[in-house]
Amino acid sequence: MKALIYTDVEVLTYMDRPMPEPQDGEALVRIMSSGICGSDMHAYLGHDARRPAPLTLGHEAAGVIVGGPEDGRRVTINPLVACQTCDFCRTLRENLCPNRQIISMMPREGAFADYVAMPVRNLVTVPDHVTLSQAALAEPIACGWHAVRLGRAVLGGDLSGMRCAVIGGGAIGVGAALSLYAQGARDITVIEPNAVRRERLADVAGFDTCAPGGDGMPADGSVDMVIDGVGYAATRETCSALARAGGVIAHIGLGEATGGLDVRRMTLQEITFIGTYTYTAADFEATAAAIFDGNLGALDWVEERPLSEGHRAFKDIRAGLVAAPKIILTPDHTTAGP
């Protein structure tokens, strides 16, 4: 089969790789759509020790089961493989499983490939009216869905009268904004510095957009829930300023490890900080259901490119040339085969 392999810093090579061999309880999935995540970009830039070269990246994927009793079943993939036996798994907090694995991190190769092997329990059936590119968005949007659920619980559960802001107009930020809307919020602003991307997002229903510090930027101390989908010191500084007394900061982004938080203000104003990592299996399934029911909008803000041109896609994202919040790679199956 063909795969897009991270072979060195800022080098991705489209090449032949061995077919994955499903183990007991696993299915072979023919990948039809696989999104480029910020974590893939971190690996590509050599910033993620958890993803050493050579490695097949990609974990936001959907496809079709090949072989076995469920041959032809259309599925979206929950890439987080938990042990199912630890205390976190038994209490349905699989995202905190100390033994968790995620495809695109060793020992599990990722989904920038023609095929991947996955536990059947990690596969959610996709109805025929949903495209597999839409279904591949379940993974990045589930990160925001999980963050919103946690923040909503702190705020009392009802977001209908709350002011919300999301920092970052990539797929994580857009997914968080759409999750806010689906879970009841109506006053939502996405803060995005890239003018090309802001223009692309201007017609996405459910939220407004603005540049940092520009027209439409919420006032300091006015936001009930602010979600950081970027995770740099500068964005955390903005979160600390925007959150109201008693408000919530939900932090998803992994841009850099330290700096930015105004801990004194957060302490004096009793601002809750929630670090969020991935999602539970229930969050993933709820996100997929919201996609299938149309509760997250048309999801037409992606750009599709062939897997064989994946290296160019990474370069374009790196250069800030991509307006779409998400690029979906679509393998060329004319050369693929078991």
Side-chain angles (χ1 to χ4, degrees), residues 173-174 177-178 181 186-190 201-202 204-209 301:
V174 172
L178 294 174
Y181 190 87
R186 291 298 177 265
D187 184 352
I188 307 163
T189 302
V190 174
L201 294 177
V204 177
F207 57 82
D208 298 319
T209 61
W301 34 265

Side-chain angles (χ1 to χ4, degrees), residues 82-158:
C83 74
Q84 306 297 303
T85 60
C86 70
D87 289 343
F88 285 116
C89 286
R90 287 199 297 268
T91 56
L92 305 182
R93 301 177 74 192
E94 302 91 346
N95 60 314
L96 300 179
C97 171
N99 304 307
R100 65 181 179 258
Q101 298 176 349
I102 300 177
I103 61 172
S104 80
M105 290 187 196
M106 293 302 295
R108 288 187 173 270
E109 298 281 347
F112 291 159
D114 287 330
Y115 296 89
V116 70
M118 289 299 300
V120 173
R121 67 175 181 271
N122 284 63
L123 305 177
V124 176
T125 300
V126 178
D128 290 340
H129 71 275
V130 176
T131 71
L132 291 176
S133 285
Q134 292 171 324
L137 294 173
E139 197 284 334
I141 296 177
C143 295
W145 188 278
H146 177 70
V148 171
R149 179 175 64 81
L150 295 180
R152 184 163 56 91
V154 173
L155 293 170
D158 183 4

Side-chain angles (χ1 to χ4, degrees), residues 195-227:
V196 175
R197 181 163 286 172
R198 283 200 311 277
E199 184 177 355
R200 177 67 181 269
L201 294 177
D203 59 354
V204 177
F207 57 82
D208 298 319
T209 61
C210 72
D215 291 343
M217 181 81 174
D220 287 355
S222 71
V223 179
D224 297 281
M225 188 192 308
V226 55
I227 297 176

Side-chain angles (χ1 to χ4, degrees), residues 287-308:
T287 304
I291 289 174
F292 304 158
D293 293 341
N295 293 333
L296 294 171
L299 302 179
D300 55 359
W301 34 265
V302 305
E303 176 185 339
E304 294 187 4
R305 299 194 189 186
L307 182 66
S308 57

